[in-house]
Amino acid sequence: MSDNAEHNVGTVEKGERYISVEENVELRVLSYCQSTGTPGIPVLIISGLATMVESFEQVINELSKNSPVYFIETRDRHTSRIEGEAEYGIPAMGRDIVKIVEALGLKERNYVLMGYSFGASIMSECYSLLREKPKCLIFMEPTPEFHYPGWSLIVIRLMGKPLYRILRPAAKWYMRSFYINTAEDNEMAVISGRSLDNADPVKLINTILAIAPYKVWPKLDGLT
């Protein structure tokens, strides 16, 4: 409350909608804007693989003080509505972003695209397909290639869902021990663990297998 008063803005209004990107695929898009109106141009956030919106809470809070913010949940999320077979590769997810930009009615050079990690590759993939180009692209810790050992992909393909259940506790331990400084940011460790708990194993496995050979480098020349 004091933070809003300090910046002389209203409360943040949160919204949720599902956008159809294919005949059998709908994705959840979360929106954040000030109740008093936000004069800045919209910001779209494409986050990392299985990343929860809570990981971006501070970023969204700051951006939404001046601009409407849209957080796009990709096909790998448990929230995606997918009936039957679907593609899980980055080209398909890039086309999803195009559909979402169109559905939101965003105008040429009048919005910003932000991509974090896996989301940065999706952003690079979709850029050339967008009819209405963004004002700028913001890359946050981009992942240009996905280095999965060949043997791990074979194991994932053969064991799939049971393997995920077995390895999930080990993955949490690894993140807390070697990846996240729990002394300085224990909240992020909790959020990351919750992301693994909430992930849809089948969608996540399908995505890992689909993105393994992807390389973003050929797309970079077209980002003009």
Side-chain angles (χ1 to χ4, degrees):
M1 187 70 174
S2 60
D3 185 59
N4 283 340
E6 180 181 336
H7 290 83
N8 195 30
V9 294
T11 57
V12 175
E13 295 183 345
K14 301 177 182 179
E16 172 188 312
R17 63 183 288 193
Y18 274 84
I19 294 178
S20 176
V21 293
E22 279 185 11
E23 185 176 348
N24 63 327
V25 179
E26 293 183 347
L27 302 181
R28 188 169 77 156
V29 177
L30 304 174
S31 60
Y32 305 82
C33 64
Q34 294 293 334
S35 58
T36 55
T38 48
I41 67 175
V43 178
L44 274 65
I45 299 176
I46 313 168
S47 65
L49 187 64
T51 305
M52 294 178 65
V53 67
E54 286 83 356
S55 301
F56 286 83
E57 186 174 12
Q58 291 185 343
V59 173
I60 290 172
N61 286 343
E62 289 300 316
L63 290 175
S64 62
K65 291 173 183 175
N66 298 302
S67 297
V69 177
Y70 297 94
F71 185 87
I72 301 170
E73 297 188 334
T74 47
R75 294 184 181 212
D76 59 288
R77 310 306 168 81
H78 74 281
T79 57
S80 65
R81 297 173 178 170
I82 299 177
E83 296 182 5
E85 297 295 322
E87 295 180 55
Y88 287 89
I90 287 178
M93 295 191 190
R95 295 192 295 271
D96 292 345
I97 303 304
V98 174
K99 292 287 188 179
I100 289 171
V101 168
E102 292 174 355
L104 294 175
L106 301 177
K107 303 302 181 183
E108 178 80 12
R109 308 295 179 186
N110 198 42
Y111 67 98
V112 172
L113 262 183
M114 297 178 63
Y116 169 73
S117 185
F118 163 78
S121 294
I122 297 174
M123 185 172 67
S124 301
E125 185 72 32
C126 80
Y127 183 81
S128 64
L129 303 176
L130 290 166
R131 296 179 189 175
E132 308 289 345
K133 304 296 187 189
K135 183 175 183 179
C136 68
L137 303 174
I138 299 177
F139 291 82
M140 299 180 289
E141 299 184 25
T143 306
E145 298 182 28
F146 302 91
H147 299 288
Y148 299 111
W151 62 265
S152 68
L153 299 176
I154 295 172
V155 172
I156 290 172
R157 185 174 284 109
L158 292 176
M159 296 188 65
K161 194 172 181 179
L163 178 68
Y164 181 81
R165 290 174 175 169
I166 294 170
L167 294 182
R168 182 169 55 191
K172 289 183 181 181
W173 171 82
Y174 180 84
M175 286 193 303
R176 295 184 67 90
S177 301
F178 302 105
Y179 189 68
I180 299 171
N181 187 334
T182 55
E184 296 182 1
D185 197 359
N186 187 62
E187 183 180 2
M188 181 57 67
V190 173
I191 291 172
S192 298
R194 198 181 305 146
S195 296
L196 292 174
D197 289 335
N198 290 335
D200 183 307
V202 173
K203 292 175 183 175
L204 186 58
I205 289 165
N206 285 341
T207 301
I208 290 172
L209 293 174
I211 69 177
Y214 186 83
K215 293 179 175 58
V216 77
W217 310 116
K219 295 293 178 180
L220 297 183
D221 288 341
L223 300 181
T224 57

